[in-house]
Amino acid sequence: MSDYSGRYFSARDRLLMDSFNAELMGDIIQTIVSLYKIAPDETKTNIYGETDQSNGKFYFSGIEISAIIDRGDITTDDEDFGPDRVQSTVFKFREKMLKNVNFYPQVGDLVLFNERYHEIDNVVQEQFDGGQSDKSRSIICNTHYSRFSKINLIDRQN
């Protein structure tokens, strides 16, 4: 099915949509976020895959990329040990732009936006042109607000 171009989404149509989306994301919306990939070799986990509270997770230095952001309301939960801020945010990226910078977001990676870190809970890649899976358009990341005290950044190795 990969060599089937589709009736309404030819290669020329995709180029046109890609150029519109690139201009919209880069020149009009211009919302820049930083993406941080988790560093698996530096992050120490127990037999259940959980990190130690004192060490936390380690991340490589971030890359900047534009995104469309759908922010939820910030709520405060103060039932346990003092107030805790909760916010769910959805970050939408152009798949082609992520391929150009060689970055694929995964569960556990971080997004820095508005001086707040958001940890990725789920990655959705099901926005297809004409319903055809070989014509993927975007990557959508569902996130939650993460505490700064749990984040350790290290230099990215090229």
Side-chain angles (χ1 to χ4, degrees):
M1 182 163 205
S2 62
D3 53 345
Y4 175 69
S5 63
R7 184 171 185 176
Y8 299 107
F9 294 99
S10 66
R12 187 174 168 204
D13 295 337
R14 285 187 49 83
L15 281 174
L16 179 66
M17 287 189 287
D18 283 341
S19 67
F20 284 156
N21 286 337
E23 184 176 348
L24 178 70
M25 295 284 288
D27 298 337
I28 297 171
I29 295 176
Q30 294 182 342
T31 304
I32 304 295
V33 299
S34 294
L35 292 170
Y36 295 88
K37 177 67 71 183
I38 194 165
D41 295 334
E42 286 79 10
T43 302
K44 305 289 187 261
T45 59
N46 60 18
I47 60 172
Y48 303 108
E50 300 166 338
T51 58
D52 185 9
Q53 283 287 70
S54 61
N55 295 333
K57 297 178 184 175
F58 287 85
Y59 296 89
F60 293 116
S61 58
I63 60 166
E64 291 186 343
I65 195 165
S66 62
I68 296 175
I69 302 165
D70 184 14
R71 292 180 280 180
D73 292 334
I74 296 176
T75 59
T76 304
D77 179 22
D78 57 355
E79 293 179 6
D80 294 329
F81 301 104
D84 191 19
R85 295 174 60 180
V86 179
Q87 180 181 29
S88 296
T89 306
V90 178
F91 294 91
K92 302 171 186 175
F93 304 100
R94 283 184 55 232
E95 183 177 5
K96 192 170 192 172
M97 192 179 333
L98 288 171
K99 284 181 182 178
N100 288 342
V101 296
N102 196 22
F103 190 98
Y104 184 81
Q106 295 175 318
V107 173
D109 292 346
L110 290 179
V111 181
L112 173 64
F113 171 68
N114 197 21
E115 299 180 14
R116 293 188 183 115
Y117 288 94
H118 302 267
E119 187 173 346
I120 296 176
D121 297 323
N122 190 21
V123 178
V124 180
Q125 186 182 4
E126 296 182 359
Q127 188 176 19
F128 306 131
D129 291 338
Q132 298 173 9
S133 61
D134 61 330
K135 296 180 181 176
S136 180
R137 170 81 36 216
S138 66
I139 304 227
I140 301 169
C141 299
N142 299 310
T143 68
H144 69 275
Y145 178 71
S146 185
R147 292 184 188 146
F148 186 72
S149 60
K150 294 184 177 182
I151 299 167
N152 299 306
L153 299 177
I154 62 172
D155 289 331
R156 187 177 190 110
Q157 301 161 350
N158 292 329

